[in-house]
Amino acid sequence: MTTIHDAPEDFAEDQLAGWTALYADRVRAVHGGVVSLPTAGADPQVAVVVGGGSGHYPAFCGLVGPGLATGAVVGNVFTSPSAAQVWSVAKAADQGRGVVLSFGNYAGDRMNFGLAAERLRAEGIETRVVAVTDDVASARSAADRRGIAGDLAVFKALGAAAAAGASLDEVERAGRRCNAATRTIGVAFSGCTMPGASAPLFRVPEGHLGLGLGIHGEPGIQDVPVLSASELASLLVDRLLAHRPDGAGTRVAPVLNGLGDTKYEELFLLWGRVLPLLTGAGLQVVEPEVGELVTSLDMGGCSLTLQWLDDELERLWRADAYTPAYRKVAAPVAALVPAAAVAEATAEATVVPAASGASRSAAATARAAIVAVDELLRDAEETLGRIDAVAGDGDHGRGMVKGAGAARRAVEHTDREAGVAFVLGRAGAAWAACAGGTSGVLWGAALEAFGSTLGDDAACIGAGEVVEAAQAFADAIVHLGGASRGDKTLLDALLPFVDALRDEVAAGTGLPEAWRAAAAVAVDAAAATADLAPRVGRARPLAQKSLGTPDAGATSMGMVLTRVGEVLAVHTAQQEGVTA
């Protein structure tokens, strides 16, 4: 259990602040993460920026240093960092030769790193993206697999190539070749507990272990009886050899990784069983790594990674690296240049567009709704986390709280003369920047779409305009998330809501009553997702476990729409001069 914290929701930021202070002689903090201090006399190189959620130390910030990553983006616990955070770290890490962004293959990370890459390219910074897909248990197709402990191998190849002075094309190619040659399988002995939570995200049945775990608190895809060390070693090795890459040679770089609560002595014992199996299979083991390298808070478990080597990949694997948590040094590393004071850029004054009276009135309702939603989600955080943990990583409640809290702070400080487009635009940007993850991006974009559809200069905002704004809200999520009705996502609550709202308004129902009726439809639709199997996202490999439990995103959507309807009814009554 994670017991040392003040405010659990600030755990990620607080631990990173302490870590950065500890290693201030080799890294500096930037918004969203850290970057390495330059080495004395070194030529500019391609910047390798890695990242993901907190809870995986030494990934990701512990791998920043000469020969490995140039910078690391650090999101909330088990949640992808926001696009704004990725952009910030990449900008700080860029040395004029381009940037490679690398991360585990999860929907939120793909979305946020992808959006950051687009922004960097638009600013003239050549940017490439290399997603790690090493987890053989998560999907049949290599492109759909998760990235777990194979992160280390890919990051190492990228960093070594960059340190050798390779071009952006060459660094990207090295990372992709390493990823294609890397396979991982893991097992869980016990679940992990989020900071502030009273119970682990999942429990392994007594006398069993979970085969095919993820590193975000996800349970294994199959429960199997507990094995002896020798049996476990055989299971791990056999599974990986069955997924040997086409054309692979006989040299491998193994990583036996602990997930956070498995003692080093146990890992050493297990390695003693794994090594003879590898050599017995005709493989030559090259510089193996055993220890905690990509963890999952306090999860009990381990994983075995094999990277099949050729001459180039072996050179990159053996190359020097010197970071706070990973060191491989065949020759002295150049002294680090002391940190120089970096002046903060002067923020430009924000210009608030002129707004109509109708838009300012709608903005007041929007502010009140966001405050109410923030309070609602704080009360529901643990419930949403438990629902999400059944077949996911258990971070949905925490992510929604961080997003809504950021949106609330943003709107509470906006000019009271601002219109609804400006207010919801600020709310959406803050939600996406602070929440991270898939839901952070989706909610942020949707709020901005809702506000921009209503506009700051609207002469009148009635029920018809709100229906179109709700449609834009949904369209933004469909476009950005790529999901459809029936995929067991928040759309299974949102799309029925929009349809019902349109029908009610078309029938002449007043907006508050129409919204209330449509929200009830959304709540029922969210409950009905218990009968669906997820077809997209992180829960897809655990489809059978998901059956019988509603989708967390759909559940929170129904709750939020209901609360917004309550605020809308009160504000409409007040505007009509009726005592609510």
Side-chain angles (χ1 to χ4, degrees):
M1 180 177 292
T2 305
T3 56
I4 300 177
H5 54 74
D6 288 327
E9 64 269 21
D10 294 332
F11 178 82
E13 293 86 349
D14 290 347
Q15 63 85 23
L16 182 60
W19 182 88
T20 305
L22 178 63
Y23 293 108
D25 60 331
R26 62 190 75 183
V27 299
R28 67 181 178 92
V30 297
H31 173 65
V34 298
V35 295
S36 178
L37 297 177
T39 53
D43 293 326
Q45 66 176 53
V46 172
V48 175
V49 175
V50 304
S54 298
H56 305 305
Y57 192 82
F60 296 93
C61 59
L63 302 180
V64 172
L68 229 156
T70 321
V73 197
V74 183
N76 192 28
V77 177
F78 296 163
T79 305
S80 80
S82 70
Q85 291 173 314
V86 178
W87 172 85
S88 170
V89 174
K91 283 277 288 187
D94 177 43
Q95 300 175 22
R97 297 194 59 193
V99 176
V100 176
L101 305 177
S102 191
F103 49 87
N105 186 39
Y106 298 87
D109 293 289
R110 289 197 308 271
M111 198 176 299
N112 282 293
F113 279 84
L115 288 172
E118 292 177 5
R119 182 176 176 184
L120 291 165
R121 293 175 189 131
E123 295 177 3
I125 299 175
E126 280 197 84
T127 306
R128 308 293 169 78
V129 174
V130 176
V132 183
T133 58
D134 59 306
D135 180 13
V136 300
S138 59
R140 291 186 178 182
S141 169
D144 294 331
R145 290 173 181 164
R146 302 178 292 202
I148 49 177
D151 284 356
L152 174 68
V154 177
F155 297 169
K156 180 68 170 60
L158 291 167
S167 68
L168 181 61
D169 287 341
E170 292 168 336
V171 174
E172 178 190 19
R173 181 184 58 80
R176 293 190 181 279
R177 291 190 68 245
C178 178
N179 182 60
T182 302
R183 306 286 189 272
T184 301
I185 184 74
V187 294
F189 310 134
S190 61
C192 60
T193 305
M194 295 281 283
S198 58
L201 293 175
F202 72 94
R203 297 184 187 277
V204 178
E206 186 71 20
H208 290 74
L209 55 81
L211 176 64
L213 57 86
I215 59 168
H216 294 87
E218 308 101 322
I221 61 172
Q222 178 186 355
D223 294 328
V224 300
V226 169
L227 304 173
S228 67
S230 297
E231 292 168 335
L232 177 57
S234 295
L235 173 65
L236 297 175
V237 171
D238 290 347
R239 290 292 180 109
L240 293 185
L241 294 183
H243 288 84
R244 184 195 307 252
D246 293 337
T250 59
R251 289 172 289 169
V252 293
V255 177
L256 183 57
N257 176 60
L259 270 296
D261 194 39
T262 301
K263 296 183 290 295
Y264 270 71
E265 290 88 344
E266 293 178 278
L267 295 175
F268 299 151
L269 187 157
L270 183 58
W271 175 247
R273 304 294 187 269
V274 167
L275 178 59
L277 295 176
L278 296 176
T279 56
L283 298 176
Q284 177 187 350
V285 172
V286 178
E287 295 191 1
E289 296 285 350
V290 177
E292 292 187 336
L293 296 156
V294 182
T295 61
S296 183
L297 285 178
D298 59 337
M299 181 185 288
C302 63
S303 63
L304 178 64
T305 301
L306 293 181
Q307 177 192 173
W308 273 265
L309 302 172
D310 55 20
D311 290 346
E312 179 190 23
L313 292 179
E314 181 170 345
R315 174 177 56 80
L316 297 174
W317 178 247
R318 289 182 180 273
D320 287 356
Y322 191 85
T323 77
Y326 183 89
R327 300 175 187 179
K328 184 176 285 190
V329 182
V333 174
L336 292 170
V337 176
V342 179
E344 294 185 0
T346 302
E348 295 183 2
T350 301
V351 177
V352 179
S356 66
S359 187
R360 291 197 301 271
S361 177
T365 302
R367 285 192 189 90
I370 288 172
V371 170
V373 166
D374 175 53
E375 294 170 351
L376 164 75
L377 291 173
R378 289 183 184 279
D379 291 339
E381 177 184 352
E382 188 170 351
T383 297
L384 293 172
R386 285 199 305 269
I387 294 172
D388 190 36
V390 172
D393 51 23
D395 71 337
H396 183 69
R398 179 61 48 82
M400 291 292 285
V401 166
K402 289 186 77 70
R408 176 177 182 170
R409 291 189 294 274
V411 302
E412 286 181 334
H413 290 88
T414 55
D415 192 311
R416 296 293 155 167
E417 295 300 307
V420 68
F422 181 86
V423 168
L424 287 181
R426 283 303 184 91
W431 191 307
C434 292
T438 306
S439 64
V441 177
L442 298 179
W443 271 93
L447 285 171
E448 291 190 60
F450 191 103
S452 63
T453 301
L454 294 177
D456 284 328
D457 57 358
C460 175
I461 296 179
E465 287 76 18
V466 172
V467 169
E468 294 312 312
Q471 185 67 62
F473 183 99
D475 289 346
I477 292 177
V478 170
H479 172 74
L480 194 55
S484 303
R485 197 184 303 229
D487 285 343
K488 196 165 187 175
T489 70
L490 58 81
L491 290 175
D492 291 308
L494 176 58
L495 295 180
F497 166 82
V498 175
D499 292 344
L501 182 64
R502 186 179 297 278
D503 290 345
E504 290 285 344
V505 169
T509 307
L511 181 58
E513 294 77 11
W515 189 291
R516 185 182 300 113
V521 170
V523 171
D524 290 342
T529 61
D531 298 328
L532 299 177
R535 297 188 297 201
V536 296
R538 197 176 284 167
R540 180 171 48 82
L542 303 170
Q544 293 304 310
K545 287 181 178 287
S546 173
L547 288 174
T549 301
D551 178 66
T555 301
S556 64
M557 178 62 72
M559 296 167 64
V560 168
L561 292 171
T562 300
R563 182 58 58 88
V564 171
E566 295 168 355
V567 173
L568 180 62
V570 170
H571 273 241
T572 300
Q574 290 174 344
Q575 291 164 7
E576 294 175 351
V578 178
T579 303

